Amino acid sequence: MRHLSLLPKQYRPAPTRVPRVSPALILVAGLGLVTTAATAEDRTATRPVLVAGDHATSVERKTSVERKASIERKTSVEPEASNHPETSARYRAVDDSGETVALSQPARRIVALSPHLVEIAFAAGAGSAVVGVVEGSDAPAAARTLPRVGSYRGLSVEAIVALEPDLVLAWGSGTPPETLDRLASLNIPVYRSEPRALDDIAATLEAVGRLSGHAQAGQRAADRFERGLAQTAQTLDPAPRVFYQLGQEPLTTLAGGQIVTQVIRHCGGEPLFDDAPVVVAEIDRESLLLAAPQVILAAGENDAWQAQWQGQTALPAVRNDRLYTLSPDAISRPGPRMIEAVRQVCRALRADPPS
């Protein structure tokens, strides 16, 4: 696979600062809200995509056996060791922070603190148990009328506690630490979701199913997602160089092995600038020209973002008309609908350039 280190020596890494990107960008993206990626004048920028990890190493595709092992680690039921509630609980799962969440009975009142976790709960059969969500939770339709406990601007612990949850589903890096600490002090069980790989989504589906007493539904949802991954995985030779556009002014992308970059690799592409040392990397035009992207992807409600590239035929992607718009919600939420984004990206990468 061709990496940026093999590009001409005059290639310069993009600046690591993002001075014009809103400080709330990552949080807004994780909550899956409808917003632009940069400042007020950047009205044609794409909506941000969930930042789902912070490591910069490439994540290789796992075999089906390894994926199952990952799921089993998160959802294994340990033998009863004592009468202590935490060790004798029947409903048990290991969350993405490595903590074991153990319940003495299935969760009947769930508060989900991210739209992707709302979708996961419903897909895992626990929709009827969800009693509270955050702003932006618009799927499935039944979630739109549920009580709100906050937004990307902040969460109300009082509102969460008032709903008397026996399980809170939190986004690990998107939920304020003080909120997590307060919930822990109140002995409210919290499952932290921090998907760093595509197969983590399947593992979370099964874990939430188990914790809510819907193990079979969670397993079925996980299996459907895994089948979708298996059906879409592809290898392209040579791997097309792909630029994922996050924002327009400044021009930004996601890096550090984020799920979006993993989707591109899963579909046989080479995500450009994924070795940047920051999550949201600002890319100067000269660096992009040297990287010579063959495909440009962006999330948006329509193709309006593509107008900015008009006439810039020095870029192979523009010259060959290989600019593709992705569904914002599908690519921005690491839940069951992420497989839709995977299919979109795979179709785009294997499409032949117009003759």
Side-chain angles (χ1 to χ4, degrees):
M1 183 172 288
R2 187 168 178 271
H3 292 281
L4 289 179
S5 59
L6 300 181
L7 288 173
K9 290 184 178 179
Q10 63 265 37
Y11 165 76
R12 297 194 304 274
T16 58
R17 66 185 187 281
V18 190
R20 297 175 63 192
V21 176
S22 166
L25 169 63
I26 296 176
L27 178 58
V28 175
L31 291 175
L33 302 180
V34 179
T35 181
T36 57
T39 54
E41 65 265 26
D42 183 17
R43 297 306 182 189
T44 60
T46 62
R47 289 200 287 178
V49 178
L50 172 66
V51 173
D54 56 5
H55 55 92
T57 57
S58 298
V59 180
E60 300 296 333
R61 290 198 296 271
K62 297 182 180 179
T63 65
S64 58
V65 173
E66 289 172 320
R67 284 175 174 151
K68 285 298 181 184
S70 174
I71 293 176
E72 289 169 1
R73 284 195 299 272
K74 289 191 177 187
T75 59
S76 60
V77 178
E78 301 172 13
E80 295 187 7
S82 70
N83 291 326
H84 191 284
E86 185 176 357
T87 57
S88 63
R90 176 182 176 186
Y91 305 96
R92 181 186 301 266
V94 179
D95 69 14
D96 289 332
S97 70
E99 295 294 324
T100 297
V101 180
L103 307 176
S104 59
Q105 59 185 4
R108 295 295 183 235
R109 297 185 64 82
I110 298 174
V111 173
L113 303 183
S114 175
H116 84 275
L117 287 166
V118 175
E119 295 190 30
I120 283 176
F122 275 84
S128 61
V130 178
V131 295
V133 299
V134 292
E135 293 293 342
S137 300
D138 55 5
R144 298 172 186 170
T145 59
L146 291 172
R148 267 48 179 166
V149 297
S151 69
Y152 73 92
R153 297 182 182 87
L155 298 168
S156 169
V157 174
E158 290 73 17
I160 296 172
V161 173
L163 293 172
E164 301 181 339
D166 47 21
L167 178 64
V168 171
L169 304 178
W171 178 36
S173 61
T175 303
E178 57 270 22
T179 298
L180 296 175
D181 291 344
R182 180 78 183 283
L183 294 174
S185 71
L186 295 171
N187 295 318
I188 297 176
V190 177
Y191 179 97
R192 293 169 174 81
S193 169
E194 192 70 41
R196 299 177 183 272
L198 286 169
D199 50 285
D200 285 344
I201 297 173
T204 303
L205 283 163
E206 188 169 354
V208 173
R210 181 183 294 278
L211 290 170
S212 63
H214 300 280
Q216 291 185 349
Q219 179 68 64
R220 288 193 297 270
D223 288 345
R224 283 194 299 272
F225 192 86
E226 289 289 332
R227 284 196 300 271
L229 290 180
Q231 292 166 358
T232 54
Q234 63 187 22
T235 300
L236 301 175
D237 187 19
R241 299 184 301 277
V242 183
F243 177 63
Y244 180 81
Q245 179 182 326
L246 180 62
Q248 177 181 338
E249 292 293 342
L251 187 63
T252 55
T253 190
L254 289 178
Q258 303 307 316
I259 276 193
V260 172
T261 68
Q262 294 175 43
V263 170
I264 292 170
R265 291 193 184 280
H266 176 86
C267 292
E270 176 192 348
L272 295 176
F273 308 108
D274 70 331
D275 58 353
V278 292
V279 172
V280 178
E282 181 179 343
I283 309 301
D284 62 69
R285 300 282 172 163
E286 183 180 356
S287 294
L288 187 64
L289 184 64
L290 290 171
Q294 296 166 301
V295 177
I296 298 178
L297 305 174
E301 298 293 349
N302 52 54
D303 296 335
W305 65 274
Q306 298 180 13
Q308 67 179 292
W309 300 108
Q310 186 175 0
Q312 300 188 42
T313 55
L315 297 174
V318 178
R319 185 167 60 249
N320 295 318
D321 194 23
R322 300 200 67 186
L323 281 64
Y324 302 96
T325 302
L326 307 177
S327 168
D329 285 345
I331 196 67
S332 70
R333 300 179 183 181
R337 287 194 292 168
M338 178 65 77
I339 202 65
E340 298 175 16
V342 170
R343 294 190 179 102
Q344 289 180 337
V345 172
C346 287
R347 283 196 300 268
L349 298 197
R350 67 172 176 264
D352 293 328
S355 57

